Amino acid sequence: MSAGCFRGKVAAVTGAGSGIGRALAVGLSARGARVAVADIDEVAAAHTASLCVGEAEPYLVDVGDRAAVGAFAADVAARFGGVHQIYNNAGIAFNSSVLDHEWADYERVLRVNLAGVIHGTQAFLPYLIDSGDGHVVNISSLNGFTPQPGLSAYCTTKYGVRGFTEVLRSEMLLDRHPVRVTVVHPGGVATSIADSAAALARSTGRTLTTAQEARNRTYTEKLLKMPPDKAARIILDGVARGRPRVRVGSDAVAMDVIARLVPSRIAEVTVALERRILAAERV
């Protein structure tokens, strides 16, 4: 895949301290981009920047803080002389049923996963338009078209990211702005998000049920398998081709097909899969 759409371009990546975000930052630098590496963990952002082969600058950024994201965008534009690409990747999850979910937990996930994407898009968009060759890449999930028991907050945000990004693309086309827009739906990538979701639930004083512990263990060990660098390669290849939608992994492709073929039955399908997962854990 040609590095032409990356070489010399300035790209900002949020949630770049680990997982897909780190792999995106490193992959972008390998393709010749100059990278602004943002994360809520300053040490992790600096480590990612050190792994990049070209120019890379770490930033401490809380994507849920609108003013902080605006300052981040302005600083990147000033330091690098412009911005061409924004990868709104930062995300967290929380494991709890709707019945037991407290509003504060919903707010925490909404603030990062959905508001963070909106903040990043709005803050960087004027610079992308000015560049004459902009690209917004928003990371949704397989859970942007597939519901999953216990992840109501996460699914709500990822469905929201999908809708927000598709509207953004329609507006860029309508107004003929020089900005391409891509929504990404990763499936089972080997990141720490499942463990982080469980840890976040415990940090609020929740005790995970046996079923929740089993689900988390099975997802981590058996389903979240794709290496982040492979996921990043698929995403960047999709960006290079100008694809409006990138599905990452055979599981994302399969669930997307099912959701399109039998949209009214997608809940039943996911429940059946969930029961199979838990049954396999008990064997």
Side-chain angles (χ1 to χ4, degrees):
M1 177 59 58
S2 170
C5 76
F6 302 106
R7 192 168 306 282
K9 300 295 174 60
V10 177
V13 185
T14 68
S18 63
I20 293 175
R22 171 170 287 174
L24 282 171
V26 173
L28 282 160
S29 72
R31 298 185 189 216
R34 303 157 66 202
V35 188
V37 179
D39 200 272
I40 191 69
D41 183 333
E42 189 172 18
V43 174
H47 181 54
T48 297
S50 74
L51 298 175
C52 293
V53 295
E55 184 180 359
E57 188 71 28
Y59 287 85
L60 172 64
V61 181
D62 175 2
V63 298
D65 183 336
R66 181 174 177 79
V69 177
F72 167 51
D75 191 88
V76 172
R79 183 167 302 193
F80 289 89
V83 192
H84 302 88
Q85 301 172 7
I86 174 65
Y87 294 76
N88 289 305
N89 165 77
I92 60 174
F94 192 92
N95 196 325
S96 181
S97 69
V98 173
L99 190 63
D100 296 329
H101 230 310
E102 294 186 6
W103 178 244
D105 303 323
Y106 277 114
E107 284 186 316
R108 183 181 291 116
V109 179
L110 287 164
R111 181 178 183 273
V112 175
N113 294 12
L114 184 54
V117 168
I118 296 171
H119 293 163
T121 299
Q122 288 192 312
F124 279 91
L125 195 54
Y127 301 110
L128 304 188
I129 292 171
D130 287 345
S131 77
D133 184 24
H135 206 135
V136 175
V137 183
N138 290 337
I139 310 300
S140 177
S141 168
L142 174 154
N143 293 122
F145 45 71
T146 306
Q148 186 173 332
L151 290 179
S152 63
Y154 185 77
C155 290
T156 296
T157 60
K158 294 305 183 178
Y159 272 80
V161 168
R162 173 188 169 189
F164 171 78
T165 307
E166 290 176 351
V167 170
L168 174 68
R169 181 169 183 269
S170 71
E171 291 179 353
M172 295 298 99
L173 291 170
L174 178 66
D175 294 332
R176 294 187 173 87
H177 287 308
V179 177
R180 289 173 294 174
V181 178
T182 299
V183 61
V184 179
H185 297 280
V189 180
T191 70
S192 61
I193 193 163
D195 287 336
S196 296
L200 183 57
R202 293 190 192 99
S203 73
T204 64
R206 305 290 181 83
T207 299
L208 297 185
T209 66
T210 301
Q212 287 172 327
E213 293 282 9
R215 182 190 301 120
N216 180 67
R217 184 165 54 249
T218 300
Y219 269 81
T220 300
E221 296 175 359
K222 298 180 180 180
L223 299 180
L224 305 181
K225 303 296 288 184
M226 180 181 287
D229 60 339
K230 181 177 180 180
R233 186 165 60 252
I234 293 169
I235 294 167
L236 294 178
D237 285 349
V239 169
R241 293 187 176 103
R243 289 184 173 170
R245 195 163 179 263
V246 176
R247 299 169 299 179
V248 181
S250 58
D251 50 353
V253 173
M255 292 308 296
D256 183 33
V257 170
I258 293 170
R260 288 170 179 269
L261 290 176
V262 286
S264 64
R265 302 297 300 278
I266 191 63
E268 285 86 346
V269 171
T270 55
V271 166
L273 290 172
E274 188 82 3
R275 286 173 175 159
R276 287 183 66 180
I277 291 167
L278 294 180
E281 178 65 24
R282 290 192 291 267
V283 173

